[in-house]
Amino acid sequence: MKKSFFVGLGVAILLAGCAPQFDDGEEEIVQDKAEKTEKAIIPKYQISDDYYKMLLPFEASQARGLVVSNLNTRYDIEEFETGLMRISQKDFNQDKYYFKEGQVLNSSTISKWLERKYTDEQLDKKKLKASDNLGLNPVDTQKGDVKTRNEKNPIYLAHILEHDYLIKNKDNQVSLGGVVIGLALNSVHYYQKEEYGATYDTSISDQKLESEGKKIAAEVLKRLRKTDELKDVPITIALFKQVEKSSVIPGNFISFTHVNKDGNSIGKWENVDEKYYVLPSTTAEKEHRDDVTMFKKFKQDVEEYFPNFNGVVGRAFYVDEQLQDLNIEIPIQFYGNSEAIGFTQYLTGLVMEHFPDYVSVQVSVTSVNGPEALVVKKAGEDEPFVHIYK
């Protein structure tokens, strides 16, 4: 395993947003939980204003692990959760609320909701009751051509993620103050014509994906309101567009709605203008030409350092058509520690030279041996964070 050390490059070793913020100390509180109370600890440190404090001891989600099997890529898995936290901040302020993994929807419930709806004939065949017919995806009658059936009634809902937000009262007690539900929707539906056979796919339009997602959200809200825990709690529901399995960038949230604690129906939906791009790419070139040109100049300068090297790839994140974050990966092989140090010094200068102040940039240098170096420039910061692995 590699050891690590920090290299002095005439820059301060700072990571904006990741330096611990020192509070007065850990705070012991009382947590209300279904007719009983338990003691919990509010952590002493908050690593960033962008994150919520989480109560200790940590309590895992009732549906832990499902997301890994239900989403297509590791990029979607990460973005679905972190993006949902960004949505949460619109209604549940980080200064007032504490984060907790979902405790209401368990694995069994979510798995049933992700199924297709059954016909009466299918219920009889499976020896299920009408009360077990909980699938939120369209019925597949299993009659007729497989291709036609799947194109007409694809699987829309891929996963459901619950985040709980607790709030503290004047008596130092915390209770559930809000819930945020993420609905991951398929932009591509995969199916097989026969068991163990070839996999086929059919695309789902953005318009259809969103309209079906909103129908599913209305039913989810109805079901949540029937639970004792959520009958009078504010609920936010957000729709996430999952990308195809071959994608090297994640999908994105497209819209969300907030329902007050006394609300039983969905009113207004808010659009979310977020999107990821691969740099360089034809799509990015068409929609954000200036940013692609900036990236290409950086890429060209990096590649000039090593002859015949061509391996700089970026993943750009946009909010409201504005570049916010840029993650760059540089796979390269070093033949000595001094070579790694020299390249990292050069790379740090390029990062500071090429990218504007308002963009956060992270550059990861890797080799067949694992991570080699990391350069981070946070938006609004004058000094980068530089780390070399040894």
Side-chain angles (χ1 to χ4, degrees):
M1 179 177 292
K2 292 190 175 185
K3 296 181 180 178
S4 60
F5 67 94
F6 292 94
V7 180
L9 300 174
V11 295
I13 307 304
L14 299 172
L15 181 56
C18 290
Q21 297 178 356
F22 294 89
D23 296 332
D24 293 334
E26 292 183 343
E27 179 183 357
E28 187 174 80
I29 57 174
V30 176
Q31 184 178 181
D32 291 331
K33 294 179 64 177
E35 300 182 356
K36 65 178 182 177
T37 59
E38 294 181 358
K39 288 185 178 181
I41 300 294
I42 297 176
K44 182 178 180 180
Y45 304 117
Q46 183 172 355
I47 62 173
S48 169
D49 290 335
D50 294 333
Y51 301 114
Y52 291 90
K53 284 187 175 181
M54 303 184 190
L55 301 186
L56 302 175
F58 175 78
E59 193 170 355
S61 168
Q62 294 293 309
R64 188 180 188 184
L66 273 185
V67 66
V68 176
S69 57
N70 290 337
L71 295 189
N72 288 338
T73 71
R74 64 180 178 87
Y75 303 109
D76 273 336
I77 292 170
E78 179 181 344
E79 180 61 21
F80 188 36
E81 182 156 11
T82 58
L84 192 62
M85 286 185 178
R86 288 198 303 273
I87 297 290
S88 302
Q89 293 168 14
K90 299 178 186 297
D91 293 298
F92 305 106
N93 189 283
Q94 305 96 295
D95 295 332
K96 292 175 57 180
Y97 290 88
Y98 304 98
F99 174 88
K100 191 173 186 178
E101 289 198 348
Q103 300 299 313
V104 178
L105 299 178
N106 58 34
S107 296
S108 175
T109 297
I110 290 178
S111 295
K112 289 178 180 178
W113 289 11
L114 295 178
E115 292 177 354
R116 286 185 179 275
K117 198 79 172 175
Y118 296 131
T119 64
D120 290 340
E121 181 181 347
Q122 289 168 341
L123 282 175
D124 290 340
K125 187 175 181 180
K126 292 177 177 289
K127 297 181 180 180
L128 296 174
K129 301 176 182 177
S131 57
D132 296 319
N133 202 6
L134 299 175
L136 292 169
N137 281 302
V139 170
D140 178 8
T141 60
Q142 299 181 345
K143 297 177 181 178
D145 178 68
V146 175
K147 183 175 183 292
T148 302
R149 283 169 21 216
N150 279 277
E151 289 183 350
K152 185 177 180 180
N153 294 303
I155 296 290
Y156 295 110
L157 182 62
H159 190 58
I160 301 173
L161 182 63
E162 174 195 351
H163 283 172
D164 294 348
Y165 291 93
L166 310 181
I167 192 167
K168 183 174 64 172
N169 63 23
K170 61 182 180 180
D171 296 322
N172 220 32
Q173 293 182 326
V174 293
S175 58
L176 188 60
V179 168
V180 179
I181 302 293
L183 303 180
L185 305 168
N186 289 320
S187 61
V188 177
H189 166 58
Y190 297 93
Y191 65 95
Q192 293 175 304
K193 293 183 178 180
E194 55 187 30
E195 191 175 6
Y196 308 118
T199 298
Y200 300 86
D201 62 75
T202 181
S203 296
I204 301 171
S205 70
D206 290 349
Q207 183 179 2
K208 185 65 173 176
L209 177 147
E210 187 166 8
S211 65
E212 292 296 330
K214 289 178 178 179
K215 292 178 185 177
I216 292 170
E219 177 61 27
V220 167
L221 175 65
K222 185 189 301 183
R223 295 182 184 185
L224 295 178
R225 284 296 187 223
K226 291 180 180 179
T227 66
D228 292 335
E229 300 94 332
L230 304 181
K231 60 184 179 183
D232 56 0
V233 172
I235 297 174
T236 294
I237 302 178
L239 306 182
F240 179 80
K241 175 186 173 182
Q242 177 178 213
V243 292
E244 66 275 10
K245 292 181 178 180
S246 60
S247 178
V248 295
I249 56 173
N252 55 276
F253 280 91
I254 56 177
S255 59
F256 73 95
T257 185
H258 182 72
V259 182
N260 293 327
K261 64 179 183 179
D262 55 352
N264 292 306
S265 61
I266 293 175
K268 182 180 179 182
W269 283 88
E270 300 284 345
N271 291 328
V272 178
D273 188 0
E274 297 181 350
K275 193 171 182 180
Y276 284 88
Y277 295 84
V278 173
L279 299 183
S281 67
T282 303
T283 303
E285 183 90 40
K286 180 180 178 182
E287 299 181 18
H288 299 283
R289 181 179 297 274
D290 291 344
D291 292 336
V292 173
T293 299
M294 173 179 65
F295 177 81
K296 283 183 175 179
K297 289 179 179 178
F298 168 81
K299 183 176 185 288
Q300 180 179 346
D301 285 350
V302 170
E303 292 169 352
E304 283 182 357
Y305 191 88
F306 286 105
N308 303 318
F309 172 71
N310 184 15
V312 182
V313 179
R315 190 171 73 245
F317 177 56
Y318 285 79
V319 177
D320 296 328
E321 299 294 321
Q322 179 69 55
L323 179 61
Q324 300 288 316
D325 294 284
L326 179 58
N327 282 276
I328 301 171
E329 295 183 4
I330 304 178
I332 202 164
Q333 185 63 51
F334 294 119
Y335 294 96
N337 194 51
S338 60
E339 193 175 86
I341 293 174
F343 178 70
T344 305
Q345 287 176 327
Y346 176 69
L347 183 64
T348 302
L350 293 182
V351 169
M352 301 306 293
E353 174 187 343
H354 282 284
F355 300 111
D357 180 66
Y358 60 83
V359 178
S360 291
V361 181
Q362 175 175 302
V363 184
S364 302
V365 182
T366 61
S367 72
V368 293
N369 299 317
E372 296 286 353
L374 176 68
V375 178
V376 179
K377 183 195 79 68
K378 302 298 286 187
E381 293 292 326
D382 296 327
E383 303 291 348
F385 166 89
V386 182
H387 186 65
I388 291 182
Y389 299 85
K390 182 179 179 181

